[in-house]
Amino acid sequence: MDERALPPPITLRELTRIVGRRWLLAVSVFLLTVVATYLLTKRITPVYESKSRVLLESGTSGSSSGLGSLLGLVTGGGSGNASLDTEMEKIETQEFYKKLRQLAGLGEMGLEEVQWRLQLSAGRGGQVMNFNARGLTAEQAQKIANSAAVLYIELARKDAKDRIQLDRKRLLDASALARQGKNRTERALERFNKGMAASDPTAYFRGRAERTILVRRDLEEARKQEAALVTQIQTQEKQSKSLPKELINSYGLIKNTVIDGFRSEIALLKTQRKIKLLDYQEDSPEVQTLDTEIAAKQKAIEEAQKDAFSIGNKNVGLNPDYINTRSELLRARSTLATLRKTIAETQNLLNALEKEQTGLADKQFQYLRLRTDFEAAAEADKTAQTGLIASTLKEATGQPYVRVIDWGRKPDMPLSPKPLLNTILSVFLGLFLGIGLSLLAEYFSTKPEQEPPFFEEPLPALPLVGGIPLLGTAPAAAPGNLSTRDEDRLREIGYWLAHREPGGSVPVHLLLGVRSDDRAATLAAQLADVLGQDGIRVAHLEVDAPSLAELPKQLANLTAAGNDLILLAGPAVWNVRAVGPLEKLAGGVVLVASPDTPLEESVARARRLLTNGYTPRFHGVVAAEELPALVAMETTKP
């Protein structure tokens, strides 16, 4: 059962009744708290606070205020601007607190206490220093605040003067070192120029490098020309091989005389054939013989016509293309030979120049290093001289612009204690403690409101059950594992609860546990199991506040089902708002007492909690066998 869903167990009405019963305790605690707070406030020594503010225009350090390190002129920048945190570190020293103790007239007060009395803080923009001073009197707080402001101004000016002197000394040292370096590098440059035999080594290095670059370019161009000539020669050699050396200019032709002879014979044979036809037929052997000869002659003419003219004479001369190709080929070979000779000479020159550049590289690096060192030393010397001039001006005009913009005033009211605030707080604290202790006393009280019997109605003769597992401290046991003695006691309780007058309604009882709902629920299950063995039909329900709306309908259904007894296993008795409506629906309440609490205390607590505007109908108490009160109660049973 989820008790978190239940409403708060203590109402305002119940709280008022508890405080009303224990009003003497609540009022005593309230008055004691207020009086104790008043007396403690009177005993506290008052502490006053005064505040002075100091303006640090443009900061107290850095090049802009004249308090920064002038050595920054040499190093190329300031030495850094001191923040207010740095200024606070300067103040929070034993020397400063000793001077403050002497100036403010604090006698032999410890330095830690002096430090506690002076609190430092930064204002808006990081340009204001706040001195919050605390004193036992208003005059002492004011004097500490103003003395701290005066001491800080003196400290800032002394710090500025010491910084300028320190920077001047550093600049003098830097100037001497720069001048020594300048002279040393200047002599080294003169020796180097003399060894190179050049007044300007830079121009010499540049000229030799440019000469090397030009020769390398000429060599690359010559190699390109060589490759082009080789390609040209190969092409011309192929052309010269493919061209004939001589050309036939003209031929003399004679007509073939065989053709005319064969044509004359064919004409003669055709005349003879015409004559033969006068005497013979077309298919006669004589005519066919002539046809065969005519066909042979015609075929001979066809063969002869393939070479109608015969060569008479021819005119032969040299090929001009061949002559030109050979001439260009010889010229290209001659040019290639000359070019290769030039390439070899240029390559030798380039090798010599590159070897020279290798030797000049170290000398050039040496010269550049000497030149850089000389220029750096000259620039450092110039900067140091400028810094010395500036330091002279700073020494004359370099006082920091630090002034007090708000002197500490005498406070009218102490910072602490605050009697009015403490009184108001003591009233609330007294009310809280008074009500709280009243509730605590009510909770631990074991004295019932009236002498036993504890209930307004006399207790019926209920048997006391002992040794039932869930009523003791041992783990829960199944109902079937109960001893015969426990079963007899459960039967005795069950028969009493199930008893009803003839024609009466089915009895409904609500079982409540003081500490745990599990004990009440387990007791209901054990009763149902044991009575079921005897043929008594028992129904038990787990009920809580959310299920209250369905409970009347459920009870009607269980009654109609023919049950002889209905047990409601309700919530713990702390949940008063849930117990009240459930108890009214049931026929009464059976309390399951806690084995960890004396019987009288359990009953008294339950009765006080359940008495919330109505009189509960108690049927009795089921307690564990281990409770000490059981022995006395069983001896007095009839």
Side-chain angles (χ1 to χ4, degrees), residues 30 33 38 57 99 113 135 143 168 191 198 208 256 267 312 341 352 463 499 505 521 576 596-597 603 620:
F30 172 77
T33 303
Y38 176 77
E57 292 191 2
K99 293 181 179 179
E113 187 175 355
K143 193 170 184 180
R168 183 176 181 83
R191 291 194 299 271
R208 301 306 296 174
N256 193 349
K341 183 177 179 181
H499 176 73
S505 59
V576 181
D596 305 325
T597 308
V603 175

Side-chain angles (χ1 to χ4, degrees), residues 20 75 94 98 136 152 268 320 330 410 416 451 487-488 533 550 585 616:
T75 59
Q94 292 187 0
K98 287 180 181 179
L136 299 180
Y152 174 69
L268 180 59
L330 294 175
K410 184 185 298 184
S416 67
E451 296 299 325
E487 288 186 0
D488 292 341
Q533 298 175 11
E550 301 293 332
L585 287 175

